[in-house]
Amino acid sequence: MQLDHYATLGRSGLRVSPLCLGGMTFGLERGWGSSVEESKQIIDRYLHRNGNFIDTANSYNLGHSEKIIGDHITNDRSKRDRIVVATKFSANLYDGDPNGGGGNRKSIIAACEQSLRRLQTDYIDLYWMHWWDKFTPIEETMAAIDSLVTSGKVRYIGFSNTPGWKIAQAQVTASFLKQTPLIALQIEYSLLERTVEGELLPLAEEFGLGVTPWSPLRGGILSGKYTRDNLAESKPGRGDLMKSRIDERTFTILDRLQEFAASNDTTVARVALAWLRSRPTVSSIIIGARTMEQLEENLASLEVELPADDIAALDDLTRPRLSYPINILSTGRLTGYGGLTINGESFPESPLGRPTSDKVY
């Protein structure tokens, strides 16, 4: 696969690259990331490889990520119209201002105007709700975003970091009121975070939403740079935070990834990204790159096609424990489907066994 093997995002005609360039590392305001010059070089390399999808947020490095993108590409209309630029609202950049963030109409419209100014563009291709605001009715949020689409300031919309039941409510509300529907979800998804397979991924499939995973390498853990031997060493940037998320199960998964990387003549990070790319609901994976070397490593994952046996082994190794009611449905379905084949799927006998009598009371 190549970076210019585009896919439509969800139930829309918007074409995006299989890897999306994430802009969270653009700028140094958080004490880690890429300088302005490094960020520009990373963007140029991604575009040179025919990538067309760049994702940022109003909160990334206090808005500097948006400004770097705006200064470098979106102020040039000949470049801007060929690129899918996504950004997000919800974060509050103004201490003490109760309406500085969230999902209310005042906050959303102000955040959009500020992002347009920093990005130096008159429209945003894909506008994400960064996280669900429980204090604002979803009807108000959807109406506010719809007004931005109607005014031409936004083309498409999506949600991130939101419970499945709230996403469903938003989509049904938009349909009922003939407002702009969501086309995609941005969710954390990787070999180390698969609980989204319980409800969010089936929801995306049911509603025709594209899925754009963030943190596909779990903050670098799945890059293979952490080992049992070096875990105690201090790591730059977010390294110490990531180390707190590593346990023996993580190293067991990394050990197997090393085996698959060796057998496929590639690297751990590329295997982890190739596995994620194989998931049927995934449209475009958001990759972060603090350095040019990291970008090249992530892009090289497109050259990896894992054998079906390797994918199945990774599936089994990392299968998540899902919460109720998902965890009981596999057993409960056997009481209705046990011993049958439906739509090509065969079900074993019910664990309750066959009745000893044909009599039904």
Side-chain angles (χ1 to χ4, degrees), residues 3 5 41 87 90 104 148 158 177 202 209 268 329:
L3 200 54
H5 289 186
Q41 292 172 1
T87 192
S90 292
N104 65 72
L148 293 174
L177 297 177
L209 302 174
V268 166
L329 285 177

Side-chain angles (χ1 to χ4, degrees), residues 318-354:
T318 62
R319 196 173 307 281
R321 182 175 182 179
L322 301 176
S323 59
Y324 177 87
I326 306 303
N327 62 347
I328 202 172
L329 285 177
S330 60
T331 299
R333 285 173 177 143
L334 295 184
T335 65
Y337 313 149
L340 302 175
T341 297
I342 303 174
N343 288 343
E345 184 175 356
S346 297
F347 297 86
E349 295 289 345
S350 169
L352 300 178
R354 288 183 174 275

Side-chain angles (χ1 to χ4, degrees), residues 98-111:
N99 292 306
N104 65 72
R105 183 184 299 272
K106 177 178 174 63
S107 171
I108 291 172
I109 293 176

